[in-house]
Amino acid sequence: MADSTVSAHPAEPTHHAERPVYVIGGGPGGLATAYALRAKGLRAVVLERSDHVGASWRRHYDRLHLHTTRRLSALPGLPMPRRFGRWVARDDVVRYLEKYAEYHELEVVTGVEVSRVEGTADGTGWLLHATGGRELTGAAVVVATGYNHTPRIPDWPGRATYSGEFLHAGDYRNAKPFADRDVLVVGVGNTGAEIAVDLVEGGAARVRLSVRTAPHICRRSTAGWSAQQTAILVRRLPVRLVDRLAVPLAKLSVPDLSAQGLPRPDTGLYSRVVEEGAIPVQDVGLIDAVRRGRVEVVSAVESFEDGKVVLAGGGPISPDAVIAATGYTRALDDLVGHLDVLGAHGMPVVNGARTPKNAPGLYFTGFVTPISGTFRELAADAEKIAKAIAKDTGCQVSRLPA
Ligand SMILES: Cc1cc2nc3c(=O)[nH]c(=O)nc-3n(C[C@H](O)[C@H](O)[C@H](O)COP(=O)(O)OP(=O)(O)OC[C@H]3O[C@@H](n4cnc5c(N)ncnc54)[C@H](O)[C@@H]3O)c2cc1C
């Protein structure tokens, strides 16, 4: 990984042809885009706020494996090694991202957090404000700071004064600290479901899972055919049609867990992905744990009161610890909010190869929840973004030596 020469001082005016493309964020999305730009002969500099690439993956809980397959999760220009197996472990994802940056000789500058992006005064590029008073001018900017950026905790009444142990799933590593304890996991996305199972397997005395809306659950793989492969096949079909097709499939492969508190959802599987960004829960042990009563499903958390957790329609409960698997926010407001490029829920109005009409040259990647797997879409978008930048801005971007 080469260090680029980033000035610690306000940038001197540069000739436009000397400007690189700045990629903000050294996760899979940022690295793939930097590679795709490099493959087109364009200079891309990745600015990463932490000390290493793949910072989000380094923080994820220990037992996490990709639930998308190795082959369909590789980034452009470097397959994942076969020895990583079909479902790649978190540490191997990190190894892969490190190798990816090194193998493609990407220009990555670590320890640099970009706080604000604005157009240059002459309107020919983008000015980035970053750690240590740095001001960097790029021909184009790709924001790859992650969909799962900042832990989101609902504004539950009484939460601020709750004195019990409380953490966000982003701070959960493994079950060790929870052995022999009574734990409430709040939220049943893929993360909440897997943490609940991890707690059971790791020896928690009691595990309750608080569910507001019953999720769609699917098997990660059936007879060697992955859920991701099905998702890729159906992703361009009409949403309602996929919803309908999913019903008999779910009935065939997932038992009815209504008696245990997880009825089949009323809303369609694909509708929930498209309308709410709710990816179906891939089963890595939840079905079995719920059937056996090892994970008890309880209703939504309403509030916190006198050191207890109040559930909708139920009495207060007193777990030893609460783990909020309640998602993340994009946290793009400070970075680009003033550019009028954010829509509902702080999501950028464009993603991938499109650039906002009012902010040409500003790109976003990773701000999607595709049913077909985010790594796969990040890989595809990287090449589309590089193509778009080469076409629209290419002549203003500094080029790599031939
Ligand atoms: C628990 C979990 C499991 C997942 N499993 C899968 C899976 O199996 N398959 C799949 O396809 N997808 C999966 N995803 C979704 C997605 O692929 C990952 O979140 C992936 O890491 C997204 O890549 P990214 O580059 O967009 O963002 P991130 O990996 O989050 O990378 C963003 C980077 O930007 C840096 N950064 C942030 N702000 C700044 C700033 N202002 N300045 C400089 N740097 C900054 C961060 O430090 C980070 O390194 C999973 C997500 C989660 C949360």
Side-chain angles (χ1 to χ4, degrees), residues 24-31 47-50 52-57 59-61 64-68 72-73 97 112-115 144-149 191 228 328 335 365-367 372-376 378:
I24 310 175
L31 296 178
L47 302 172
E48 166 55 49
R49 68 178 175 178
S50 84
H52 305 276
V53 299
S56 298
W57 279 86
R59 281 195 304 268
H60 289 328
Y61 49 92
L64 180 65
H65 285 65
L66 284 177
H67 56 69
T68 49
L72 294 172
S73 304
L97 295 176
V112 175
E113 178 164 11
V114 180
S115 50
T145 48
Y147 184 89
N148 300 296
H149 190 279
T191 297
Q228 186 186 13
Y328 294 81
L335 192 67
T365 188
F367 296 95
S372 46
T374 308
F375 269 70
R376 184 175 180 276
L378 289 172

Side-chain angles (χ1 to χ4, degrees), residues 62 172-181 198-199 202:
D62 296 348
Y172 177 89
R173 294 287 158 274
N174 55 53
K176 268 190 210 135
F178 304 98
D180 301 321
R181 299 176 71 199
D198 197 39
L199 288 163

Side-chain angles (χ1 to χ4, degrees), residues 25-54:
L31 296 178
T33 308
Y35 159 73
L37 286 160
R38 192 184 164 86
K40 294 213 169 294
L42 304 178
R43 182 170 171 229
V45 179
V46 178
L47 302 172
E48 166 55 49
R49 68 178 175 178
S50 84
D51 292 340
H52 305 276
V53 299

